Amino acid sequence: MKFISWNVNGLRAVVGKGFAGVFSEFDADFFCLQETKMQEGQLDLEFRGYESYWNFAEKKGYSGTAVYTKHHPLSVRYGIGIDIHDHEGRAITLEMEDFYLVCAYVPNSQDELRRLGYRMQWEDDMRAYLMGLDRVKPVVFCGDLNVAHEEIDLKNPATNHFNAGFSDEEREKFTALLAAGFTDTWRYQHPDEVKYSWWSYRMNARARNAGWRIDYFIVSDRLRPRIARTEIHNEIFGSDHCPVELVL
């Protein structure tokens, strides 16, 4: 079973850069999107054999998530059931027969960490949400999690130590999530490999591969034996992020 996750940083823009071809080539069972930056009715993008589910932000042109699936879910939940978090279209949960799939776009702590306080609340609430799901059945949690966990996960750790996405506080919350019974699938399969999933548009960062690994597939620990393949598709352009893959 193949899962793809991609922060497209504006789905309408990526559609003009060959998105349909990428989508078809992956032929994934589940294709999760973040930062769609759309409102309902702005784009009619369906693919034969897939159902799609969308969570739009109330603010126009901002955030947003979507999931395309070949498999009809038992139920679908938009948001995580906490009002402060559920106005920006940041999460979709599909309940399948033997697992939950959660697609999320985690809030950025922003310049000078001015949204760090809110980010910390999100982290605690999302971890509790995932743990609650995990008590029922295993979880596949994916998306732009907006944190590089360890120094190996970004090109310039020393100069980014106190920046959004690599603050001690954000990294500690990621560690807490893993300690709660979850596995970073890419790092589990590639303990020493350096590969990135996001590059700033500034200073020719992608050409220099001055990137960050901030897009993940996290699974309940008991799914570890089912991890068949993980990949970061940095050969695919169209966004400042590239798609990441998990095969169970």
Side-chain angles (χ1 to χ4, degrees):
M1 186 168 285
K2 182 190 290 189
F3 302 78
I4 297 292
S5 177
W6 192 8
N7 179 323
V8 291
N9 194 8
L11 182 57
R12 287 172 293 171
V14 172
V15 164
K17 301 174 183 177
F19 176 79
V22 172
F23 186 98
S24 298
E25 185 173 344
F26 274 126
D27 190 28
D29 293 275
F30 301 89
F31 203 118
C32 302
L33 304 176
Q34 303 88 44
E35 212 170 354
T36 55
K37 294 184 175 180
M38 285 172 40
Q39 305 304 120
E40 189 170 8
Q42 286 187 314
L43 183 67
D44 182 15
L45 185 65
E46 297 299 331
F47 296 95
R48 184 183 299 273
Y50 287 87
E51 303 173 11
S52 64
Y53 299 91
W54 302 77
N55 194 1
F56 304 102
E58 293 178 4
K59 180 180 177 181
K60 292 183 178 180
Y62 180 72
S63 188
T65 49
V67 179
Y68 286 88
T69 172
K70 289 182 177 181
H71 309 279
H72 184 69
L74 301 178
S75 67
V76 180
R77 184 183 304 178
Y78 302 96
I80 62 173
I82 298 175
D83 185 69
I84 192 174
H85 302 311
D86 288 350
H87 296 274
E88 297 184 348
R90 291 189 177 273
I92 301 175
T93 302
L94 271 58
E95 180 185 5
M96 309 308 295
E97 188 67 35
D98 59 351
F99 65 92
Y100 289 102
L101 172 63
V102 181
C103 168
Y105 175 40
V106 171
N108 191 299
S109 294
Q110 301 185 349
D111 293 341
E112 299 180 355
L113 301 178
R114 63 182 184 272
R115 210 183 186 194
L116 182 63
Y118 171 67
R119 169 67 178 269
M120 294 296 97
Q121 182 175 354
W122 163 279
E123 292 286 349
D124 290 341
D125 292 340
M126 176 57 86
R127 185 174 65 255
Y129 176 72
L130 295 172
M131 291 172 66
L133 296 178
D134 185 56
R135 285 192 286 269
V136 180
K137 60 183 76 173
V139 175
V140 177
F141 175 45
C142 71
D144 175 359
L145 305 191
N146 257 319
V147 60
H149 185 213
E150 303 288 356
E151 291 191 353
I152 192 175
D153 294 316
L154 74 167
K155 180 70 171 180
N156 298 305
T159 56
N160 283 292
H161 185 191
F162 300 105
N163 289 340
F166 197 61
S167 68
D168 292 340
E169 295 88 345
E170 291 162 310
R171 296 168 66 197
E172 287 167 2
K173 293 296 186 184
F174 193 95
T175 298
L177 175 62
L178 299 183
F182 296 91
T183 296
D184 173 353
T185 60
W186 163 263
R187 192 53 69 203
Y188 177 71
Q189 280 208 321
H190 308 269
D192 302 310
E193 186 170 350
V194 174
K195 208 166 186 180
Y196 306 127
S197 67
W198 174 79
W199 304 261
S200 170
Y201 280 131
R202 296 176 290 182
M203 299 176 63
N204 210 24
R206 188 155 189 177
R208 296 184 297 109
N209 199 29
W212 300 48
R213 187 176 74 97
I214 61 175
D215 301 271
Y216 295 84
F217 275 99
I218 308 295
V219 300
S220 298
D221 284 348
R222 60 192 184 278
L223 289 180
R224 279 184 190 173
R226 293 179 56 186
I227 300 172
R229 186 172 76 249
T230 56
E231 189 54 86
I232 298 174
H233 288 281
N234 58 6
E235 78 280 5
I236 294 178
F237 290 76
S239 169
D240 52 348
H241 297 250
C242 72
V244 295
E245 177 182 351
L246 168 68
V247 177
L248 294 179

